[in-house]
Amino acid sequence: MFAKKTISKLVALALLTTTGYVLPTVTPVGMAKAQEQQEERQTRRTPALRAKVYEQLARAQALADEDKIGEALEALDNVKDKSSSMNSYELAMLYNFYGFIHYNAEQYDKAIAAFEQVVEQQPIPESFELTTLFSLAQLHMMQGNYDKTLVFLERWEALNVGEIPAKNYLIKAQAMYQMKDYERASRFINQAVAMVEKEGKVPEENWFVLQRAIFYELKQPEKVRDVLVKMVRHYNDGKYWVQLGGMYGELGEEKKQLAVLEAAYQQGYITTGSDVFNLAQLYYYHQVPVKGARLMEQAMHEGVLERNLRNLKFTANCWALAKNDDKAIPVLTAAANLSEDGELDAQLGQMYLNMEAYDKAIEATLAALQKGGLRNQGMAHLVLGMAYFNKQRFNDALNELAKAEKFDSAKRMAQQWGKYVEAEKVSYERLKAELSS
């Protein structure tokens, strides 16, 4: 029905997708010639399009093709003035030309009104009526008139002979989706997809997008997952891999989630900072911390992730879980330098103590106490006490252990260590006295 362009407005769907509609690309003049050549399937008798009227309509189209819209409409108005002498087919073609011109001028409401006049003229060739009814359904869909979309589709189906095509069910599903009637939308999109798949074909991508969105609204995550599996298989788009991984996570299938996201990463589909961090977390929770740490470090090196407190702390935790203190300490130190409280400095102190780097343990733990904000201050004093003891600074050790005893979380251990340090202090001083005498 239309020659110059397809519908440019798109109908927004959920999950960042759009579906557009393409109207038939037949000019009014071309349609008239085709109608004259086509025999009607049924016994409907339609009057002929007289040559004189055809020439006047053709003149209007020629003006429209030259973008002389005002002159084209004026030419049609001149024909309309003689409408009393025109038959139903000629009137239908007249309104068809009005609709064509208004459509190309992006005057969609006027185009719809004109095309609705086309199908009100009876009798007209069935093929002409069918084409116009379907175009009206699409135009109303584009304009957000979803109830009228369904009305004209049902009129088309009542007139059509043969099986209803899958695309009709698709448009119905789109209309129902926009009307938030997700149950009926589900039935229509499922039927549309099934019809195409039964023929051994793959539905268009936007069909699956709509089906996925409908299942999502119906809170049917298993079905969302199943649609995404098809989308990954047929279209291999990175965003579908990521979404499929997310659905496996939502369904509690964490191993499959990790497998899918790792496969996506290997194909170069994990590109955003949030997706990289999510994958690193999965490595961590699935006891593969080295992969998580390496992924984080690469992402920070490439600028995909910032070298901020969160990312550095998590990377350090990955290396710590992997029992690689040599890798963990530089990252944790960088994180501690960015932190306003002493938690990370205290964690560093404990790591240095375990590595028998007592001077560094003392330095880090003192920094932690100075910053403050510790969840377990007693443990910090306990670490200091142990470090001082190993430096044979017994008095300093006892002072810190006494402080640790004031905190319930460290009291028992501090008392035990206090007794041990007292005994070691006595032995050390006795030995020192004996050696000096």
Side-chain angles (χ1 to χ4, degrees):
M1 183 177 292
F2 302 99
K4 288 190 177 179
K5 56 187 170 183
T6 59
I7 289 179
S8 58
K9 290 187 176 180
L10 302 179
V11 179
L13 297 178
L15 303 180
L16 302 178
T17 183
T18 57
T19 299
Y21 301 95
V22 180
L23 299 188
T25 55
V26 181
T27 66
V29 170
M31 180 179 291
K33 292 179 179 178
Q35 299 295 350
E36 289 176 338
Q37 296 170 358
Q38 182 176 354
E39 294 183 0
E40 287 297 311
R41 294 188 307 268
Q42 301 178 7
T43 58
R44 178 190 291 187
R45 290 181 175 274
T46 57
L49 177 62
R50 291 172 292 181
K52 184 176 181 180
V53 176
Y54 170 80
E55 290 171 0
Q56 292 174 310
L57 296 176
R59 177 174 174 272
Q61 180 179 317
L63 291 169
D65 289 342
E66 297 173 3
D67 288 328
K68 298 178 180 178
I69 305 302
E71 295 180 37
L73 290 173
E74 185 177 348
L76 291 180
D77 288 342
N78 289 334
V79 178
K80 188 177 180 181
D81 288 341
K82 305 167 188 176
S83 60
S84 60
S85 62
M86 296 168 65
N87 62 45
S88 57
Y89 187 16
E90 291 167 341
L91 286 171
M93 288 303 298
L94 170 66
Y95 287 115
N96 186 57
F97 272 78
Y98 272 119
F100 171 78
I101 292 173
H102 287 310
Y103 173 76
N104 279 295
E106 299 185 359
Q107 299 171 339
Y108 300 118
D109 289 338
K110 291 182 178 180
I112 288 173
F115 291 132
E116 288 182 350
Q117 282 296 315
V118 171
V119 294
E120 293 305 313
Q121 310 307 314
Q122 294 296 334
I124 60 175
E126 284 186 12
S127 56
F128 184 15
E129 186 173 356
L130 283 166
T131 301
T132 307
L133 287 170
F134 197 80
S135 296
L136 277 166
Q138 291 179 302
L139 281 166
H140 278 299
M141 185 72 183
M142 183 190 75
Q143 292 296 89
N145 305 325
Y146 307 120
D147 52 345
K148 289 189 176 180
T149 295
L150 297 172
V151 167
F152 283 104
L153 275 179
E154 289 169 1
R155 285 182 62 177
W156 185 96
E157 291 169 3
L159 184 61
N160 179 64
V161 175
E163 185 180 23
I164 297 172
K167 189 172 183 180
N168 279 49
Y169 294 114
L170 170 71
I171 297 175
K172 284 185 175 182
Q174 290 167 330
M176 291 297 177
Y177 178 86
Q178 296 294 346
M179 296 168 71
K180 302 187 185 305
D181 189 345
Y182 302 123
E183 287 289 349
R184 292 178 67 191
S186 174
R187 292 197 294 271
F188 286 128
I189 191 59
N190 292 346
Q191 190 164 2
V193 169
M195 288 175 69
V196 175
E197 291 181 334
K198 187 177 180 180
E199 296 176 358
K201 300 177 181 178
V202 177
E204 294 179 19
E205 186 173 355
N206 65 300
W207 294 32
F208 284 129
V209 169
L210 176 62
Q211 189 178 39
R212 178 197 59 188
I214 291 169
F215 287 146
Y216 183 84
E217 294 293 345
L218 288 171
K219 295 179 173 56
Q220 297 175 340
E222 293 87 356
K223 292 184 178 180
V224 174
R225 174 203 58 201
D226 294 343
V227 174
L228 282 167
V229 168
K230 292 182 182 180
M231 297 175 81
V232 164
R233 182 169 64 247
H234 294 312
Y235 302 109
N236 195 31
D237 191 310
K239 62 178 177 287
Y240 301 143
W241 282 89
V242 174
Q243 291 167 8
L244 178 58
M247 289 310 303
Y248 277 128
E250 185 173 328
L251 291 167
E253 300 180 73
E254 290 87 359
K255 289 185 178 179
K256 289 184 178 180
Q257 179 186 19
L258 177 58
V260 166
L261 292 181
E262 187 169 39
Y265 176 71
Q266 292 169 353
Q267 296 177 81
Y269 294 146
I270 303 295
T271 57
T272 67
S274 60
D275 289 341
V276 168
F277 189 75
N278 288 340
L279 178 56
Q281 285 184 309
L282 284 171
Y283 281 135
Y284 182 89
Y285 291 120
H286 286 276
Q287 301 298 308
V288 197
V290 173
K291 284 189 175 182
R294 289 174 178 168
L295 179 61
M296 291 293 295
E297 289 192 341
Q298 181 180 348
M300 287 188 287
H301 176 72
E302 294 175 351
V304 176
L305 285 173
E306 294 182 21
R307 289 185 65 83
N308 59 24
L309 177 59
R310 182 201 70 167
N311 295 334
L312 289 168
K313 181 179 178 181
F314 178 72
T315 305
N317 288 339
C318 287
W319 285 124
L321 182 62
K323 301 187 184 306
N324 191 331
D325 291 340
D326 290 338
K327 291 280 190 180
I329 283 177
V331 184
L332 190 59
T333 300
N337 291 337
L338 297 176
S339 178
E340 294 182 358
D341 62 46
E343 279 294 322
L344 299 182
D345 296 278
Q347 187 177 340
L348 269 173
Q350 292 184 50
M351 292 181 71
Y352 281 129
L353 180 67
N354 294 335
M355 296 171 66
E356 300 182 0
Y358 302 120
D359 288 333
K360 291 183 178 180
I362 293 169
E363 180 183 0
T365 308
L366 287 174
L369 290 167
Q370 184 177 2
K371 283 186 180 180
L374 299 179
R375 290 192 297 270
N376 191 346
Q377 186 175 334
M379 182 58 66
H381 290 295
L382 188 61
V383 168
L384 270 178
M386 294 178 184
Y388 282 135
F389 166 74
N390 283 283
K391 293 288 292 182
Q392 296 182 341
R393 294 169 58 176
F394 299 111
N395 291 333
D396 290 334
L398 290 170
N399 287 335
E400 292 300 327
L401 293 171
K403 293 177 183 178
E405 285 187 41
K406 297 177 182 179
F407 297 89
D408 292 338
S409 60
K411 183 176 181 178
R412 184 176 178 181
M413 188 175 293
Q415 288 175 340
Q416 292 174 346
W417 266 95
K419 293 177 182 178
Y420 178 71
V421 172
E422 284 282 6
E424 288 297 310
K425 177 184 177 184
V426 171
S427 297
Y428 176 79
E429 289 178 347
R430 182 184 300 118
L431 178 60
K432 184 177 179 181
E434 291 175 354
L435 291 174
S436 62
S437 61

